[in-house]
Coordinates of all heavy atoms in Angstrom, one line a residue:
Y1 N -138.3 -167.9 21.4 CA -139.0 -169.1 21.6 C -137.9 -170.2 21.1 O -137.4 -170.1 20.0 CB -140.2 -169.2 20.7 CG -141.2 -168.1 21.3 CD1 -141.3 -166.9 20.8 CD2 -142.0 -168.4 22.4 CE1 -142.1 -166.0 21.3 CE2 -142.9 -167.5 22.9 CZ -142.9 -166.2 22.3 OH -143.8 -165.3 22.8
L2 N -137.7 -171.2 21.9 CA -136.7 -172.2 21.7 C -137.3 -173.6 21.5 O -138.4 -173.9 22.1 CB -135.8 -172.3 22.9 CG -135.2 -171.0 23.4 CD1 -134.4 -171.2 24.7 CD2 -134.4 -170.3 22.4
N3 N -136.6 -174.5 20.7 CA -137.1 -175.8 20.5 C -136.5 -176.7 21.6 O -135.8 -176.2 22.5 CB -136.7 -176.4 19.1 CG -135.2 -176.4 18.8 OD1 -134.4 -176.3 19.7 ND2 -134.8 -176.5 17.6
A4 N -136.6 -178.0 21.5 CA -136.1 -178.9 22.6 C -134.6 -178.9 22.7 O -134.1 -179.1 23.8 CB -136.6 -180.3 22.2
N5 N -133.9 -178.5 21.7 CA -132.4 -178.4 21.8 C -131.9 -177.0 22.2 O -130.8 -176.8 22.5 CB -131.8 -178.6 20.3 CG -132.1 -180.0 19.8 OD1 -132.2 -180.9 20.6 ND2 -132.3 -180.1 18.5
G6 N -132.9 -176.1 22.4 CA -132.5 -174.8 22.9 C -132.2 -173.8 21.8 O -131.6 -172.8 22.0
T7 N -132.5 -174.2 20.6 CA -132.2 -173.4 19.4 C -133.4 -172.5 19.2 O -134.5 -172.9 19.2 CB -132.0 -174.2 18.2 OG1 -130.9 -175.2 18.5 CG2 -131.6 -173.4 17.0
P8 N -133.1 -171.2 19.0 CA -134.3 -170.2 18.7 C -135.0 -170.7 17.4 O -134.4 -171.0 16.4 CB -133.7 -168.8 18.6 CG -132.4 -169.0 19.3 CD -131.9 -170.4 19.1
V9 N -136.4 -170.6 17.4 CA -137.1 -170.9 16.3 C -138.1 -169.8 16.0 O -138.4 -169.0 17.0 CB -137.9 -172.3 16.5 CG1 -137.0 -173.5 16.5 CG2 -138.9 -172.2 17.6
D10 N -138.6 -169.7 14.9 CA -139.6 -168.7 14.5 C -140.9 -169.2 15.0 O -141.4 -170.3 14.6 CB -139.7 -168.5 13.0 CG -140.7 -167.4 12.6 OD1 -141.3 -166.8 13.5 OD2 -140.8 -167.2 11.3
P11 N -141.6 -168.4 15.9 CA -142.8 -168.9 16.5 C -144.0 -169.0 15.6 O -144.9 -169.9 15.8 CB -143.2 -167.9 17.7 CG -142.4 -166.7 17.3 CD -141.2 -167.1 16.5
V12 N -144.0 -168.3 14.5 CA -145.1 -168.4 13.5 C -144.9 -169.6 12.6 O -145.9 -170.3 12.4 CB -145.2 -167.1 12.7 CG1 -146.2 -167.2 11.7 CG2 -145.3 -165.9 13.6
V13 N -143.7 -169.9 12.3 CA -143.4 -171.0 11.3 C -143.5 -172.3 12.0 O -144.0 -173.3 11.6 CB -142.1 -170.8 10.6 CG1 -141.8 -172.0 9.7 CG2 -142.2 -169.5 9.8
A14 N -142.7 -172.4 13.2 CA -142.5 -173.6 13.9 C -143.2 -173.6 15.3 O -142.6 -173.9 16.3 CB -141.0 -173.9 14.0
F15 N -144.5 -173.3 15.4 CA -145.2 -173.1 16.7 C -145.2 -174.4 17.4 O -145.0 -174.4 18.7 CB -146.6 -172.6 16.4 CG -147.3 -172.4 17.7 CD1 -147.2 -171.1 18.3 CD2 -148.2 -173.3 18.2 CE1 -147.9 -170.9 19.5 CE2 -148.9 -173.1 19.4 CZ -148.7 -171.9 20.1
S16 N -145.4 -175.5 16.8 CA -145.5 -176.8 17.5 C -144.2 -177.3 18.1 O -144.2 -178.2 18.8 CB -146.1 -177.9 16.5 OG -145.3 -178.0 15.4
S17 N -143.1 -176.8 17.6 CA -141.8 -177.2 18.1 C -141.3 -176.4 19.2 O -140.2 -176.7 19.8 CB -140.7 -177.2 17.0 OG -140.5 -175.9 16.6
I18 N -142.0 -175.4 19.7 CA -141.6 -174.6 20.9 C -141.7 -175.3 22.1 O -142.7 -175.8 22.5 CB -142.5 -173.3 20.9 CG1 -142.3 -172.5 19.7 CG2 -142.1 -172.5 22.2 CD1 -143.2 -171.2 19.6
R19 N -140.5 -175.4 22.8 CA -140.5 -176.1 24.2 C -140.1 -175.2 25.3 O -140.4 -175.5 26.4 CB -139.6 -177.3 24.1 CG -139.9 -178.4 23.1 CD -141.2 -179.0 23.6 NE -141.7 -180.0 22.6 CZ -142.6 -179.9 21.6 NH1 -143.2 -178.7 21.6 NH2 -142.9 -180.8 20.8
F20 N -139.4 -174.1 25.0 CA -139.0 -173.2 26.0 C -139.2 -171.7 25.6 O -139.2 -171.5 24.3 CB -137.4 -173.4 26.3 CG -137.1 -174.8 26.8 CD1 -136.6 -175.8 25.9 CD2 -137.3 -175.1 28.1 CE1 -136.3 -177.0 26.4 CE2 -137.1 -176.4 28.6 CZ -136.5 -177.3 27.7
V21 N -139.1 -170.9 26.5 CA -139.2 -169.5 26.2 C -138.1 -168.7 27.0 O -137.9 -169.0 28.2 CB -140.6 -168.9 26.7 CG1 -140.6 -167.3 26.4 CG2 -141.7 -169.6 26.0
R22 N -137.3 -167.9 26.3 CA -136.2 -167.2 27.0 C -136.5 -165.6 26.9 O -136.8 -165.1 25.8 CB -134.9 -167.5 26.4 CG -133.7 -166.6 27.0 CD -132.4 -166.8 26.4 NE -132.0 -168.2 26.2 CZ -131.5 -168.7 25.1 NH1 -131.2 -168.0 24.0 NH2 -131.1 -170.0 25.1
V23 N -136.5 -165.0 28.0 CA -136.6 -163.5 28.0 C -135.4 -162.9 28.5 O -134.8 -163.4 29.5 CB -137.8 -163.1 28.8 CG1 -137.9 -161.6 28.9 CG2 -139.1 -163.7 28.4
S24 N -134.8 -162.0 27.8 CA -133.6 -161.3 28.2 C -133.8 -159.8 28.2 O -134.7 -159.3 27.4 CB -132.4 -161.7 27.3 OG -132.6 -161.4 26.0
L25 N -133.0 -159.1 28.9 CA -133.0 -157.6 29.0 C -131.7 -157.1 28.7 O -130.7 -157.4 29.4 CB -133.6 -157.3 30.4 CG -134.0 -155.8 30.7 CD1 -135.1 -155.4 29.7 CD2 -134.4 -155.6 32.1
Q26 N -131.6 -156.3 27.7 CA -130.2 -155.8 27.3 C -130.4 -154.3 27.1 O -131.4 -153.7 26.6 CB -129.8 -156.4 25.9 CG -129.6 -157.9 26.1 CD -130.1 -158.6 24.9 OE1 -130.6 -158.1 24.0 NE2 -129.8 -159.9 24.8
G27 N -129.3 -153.6 27.2 CA -129.2 -152.1 27.0 C -129.6 -151.3 28.1 O -129.8 -150.0 28.0
V28 N -129.7 -151.8 29.4 CA -130.1 -151.0 30.5 C -128.8 -150.5 31.2 O -127.9 -151.3 31.4 CB -130.9 -151.8 31.5 CG1 -131.2 -151.0 32.7 CG2 -132.2 -152.4 30.9
S29 N -128.7 -149.2 31.5 CA -127.6 -148.7 32.3 C -128.0 -147.6 33.2 O -128.9 -146.9 32.9 CB -126.5 -148.2 31.2 OG -127.0 -147.1 30.6
V30 N -127.3 -147.6 34.3 CA -127.6 -146.6 35.4 C -126.4 -145.9 35.7 O -125.3 -146.6 36.0 CB -128.3 -147.3 36.5 CG1 -128.5 -146.3 37.7 CG2 -129.6 -148.0 36.2
S31 N -126.4 -144.6 35.9 CA -125.2 -143.8 36.3 C -124.9 -144.0 37.8 O -125.8 -144.2 38.6 CB -125.4 -142.4 36.0 OG -125.6 -142.1 34.7
L32 N -123.6 -144.0 38.1 CA -123.2 -144.2 39.5 C -123.1 -142.9 40.2 O -123.1 -141.8 39.7 CB -121.7 -144.8 39.6 CG -121.6 -146.2 38.9 CD1 -120.2 -146.6 38.9 CD2 -122.5 -147.2 39.6
F33 N -123.2 -142.9 41.5 CA -123.2 -141.7 42.4 C -121.9 -141.4 43.0 O -121.7 -140.4 43.8 CB -124.2 -141.9 43.5 CG -125.7 -141.7 43.1 CD1 -126.7 -142.4 43.9 CD2 -126.1 -141.0 41.9 CE1 -128.0 -142.3 43.5 CE2 -127.3 -140.9 41.6 CZ -128.3 -141.5 42.4

């Protein structure tokens, strides 16, 4: 959860400052044929 500057914030502590949400996916790998 990001504030207006794009800095991650704790959603419990700074709920009212959340302006954006970023979802990322890491650690996925697939073997080649």
Side-chain angles (χ1 to χ4, degrees):
Y1 296 92
L2 312 171
N3 63 13
N5 298 327
T7 307
V9 296
D10 183 1
V12 176
V13 176
F15 184 83
S16 61
S17 67
I18 297 173
R19 296 294 176 262
F20 301 99
V21 178
R22 178 187 305 139
V23 175
S24 59
L25 193 57
Q26 298 144 350
V28 178
S29 63
V30 176
S31 298
L32 300 178
F33 287 154

